Amino acid sequence: SGPAVVEQRVYGENAVEREVAVAGLDPWSLWAVCMSKCSRAEQYAVWYLEETGRSRMGADDDPYTFIDLEERYHGRLFELLLQVVDITPRWRPPPWVTRLSLRAILSVPRALANVTILCGEIIGIATFRVLLDAARTLCADQPQARSRMEFLMKQILIDEIGHVLFLRSQLGPTRLRSE
C-alpha cells in the first residue's frame, strides 16, 4: 500500500535498456532490477530448448520433465514478484556471452553439462537468498507485501534446492570431487 516504491521508467531503463544498472539506485529499484536479471538466463535456456526441439516436456517418467516445468513457471513467479511492487515486467535476452555459454552447456552430453549446471544452481540459490533477505528488510513495514514476496520466493528456492539435490545424485563421487 502507499505510493509506488519503484518507478516503471527507472526499472525499464536499468533492467531492460541497459546491461548494467546505473550507480546509486535506491534499494527498491536495485532489488527490482536484480530480480529481473535473475530470471534472464533461466528463461533464455527454456526458450532455447523449446526452439531447438530439445525440451523434455511430456515425458512423465523423466525427472528432467519436472525440472523443465519448474524452470518454466519460475519465469511467471518472477513476474508476480515484480508485480507486488507494481512493476510491469519486461524481458530481454541475457548478454551474448551468457547466451553462448548456455548454448555450449546445453549442447554437451548431460553427464558433462550437469557439473556446470550444478554450479549455476548453487550460485542461483545463494543470490536468490540474498534477494529474499533484502525483500524481507524492504518490506518490514508492509506485512502483506512481505508475506506475498516470501511465499513466491520460497517456491522458487524450494525448487532450486531440489534441482541441486537431484543434480548431485546424478553426478556421483568422481564428478563431485574438487581438487
Side-chain angles (χ1 to χ4, degrees):
S1 63
V5 293
V6 179
E7 292 181 43
Q8 184 71 40
R9 176 191 56 78
V10 172
Y11 164 80
E13 288 173 359
N14 290 283
V16 182
E17 295 169 19
R18 291 185 179 104
E19 195 52 53
V20 177
V22 297
L25 287 177
D26 65 277
W28 267 118
S29 296
L30 183 59
W31 181 87
V33 168
C34 289
M35 289 302 297
S36 186
K37 290 185 177 199
C38 271
S39 67
R40 281 188 190 169
E42 191 169 83
Q43 288 180 310
Y44 180 80
V46 166
W47 171 84
Y48 178 73
L49 289 172
E50 284 178 358
E51 289 295 312
T52 58
R54 295 174 44 213
S55 178
R56 310 267 305 213
M57 296 303 295
D60 60 0
D61 62 339
D62 181 0
Y64 289 102
T65 293
F66 298 100
I67 292 172
D68 280 0
L69 178 62
E70 290 169 354
E71 300 296 7
R72 288 169 193 273
Y73 74 71
H74 289 171
R76 179 67 180 130
L77 294 177
F78 276 107
E79 289 177 7
L80 292 171
L81 280 161
L82 289 170
Q83 289 170 1
V84 171
V85 294
D86 206 25
I87 290 295
T88 302
R90 291 178 33 213
W91 186 80
R92 73 176 272 178
W96 71 270
V97 172
T98 303
R99 293 192 309 265
L100 184 64
S101 299
L102 285 168
R103 287 176 179 231
I105 292 166
L106 295 171
S107 69
V108 300
R110 194 166 290 276
L112 294 173
N114 280 350
V115 175
T116 305
I117 295 170
L118 174 63
C119 294
E121 295 280 5
I122 292 169
I123 291 167
I125 288 171
T127 302
F128 206 65
R129 184 58 205 256
V130 168
L131 290 169
L132 173 58
D133 290 344
R136 287 176 172 149
T137 300
L138 291 167
C139 287
D141 63 341
Q142 295 285 328
Q144 288 180 316
R146 179 182 172 147
S147 176
R148 178 74 171 146
M149 291 174 124
E150 282 183 341
F151 174 78
L152 294 169
M153 294 178 86
K154 284 179 180 178
Q155 296 308 303
I156 297 171
L157 274 172
I158 289 167
D159 291 344
E160 297 298 338
I161 290 168
H163 299 171
V164 166
L165 296 173
F166 174 73
L167 288 167
R168 281 184 50 105
S169 76
Q170 299 300 297
L171 294 179
T174 302
R175 287 180 287 158
L176 283 174
R177 184 176 41 214
S178 63
E179 295 180 314

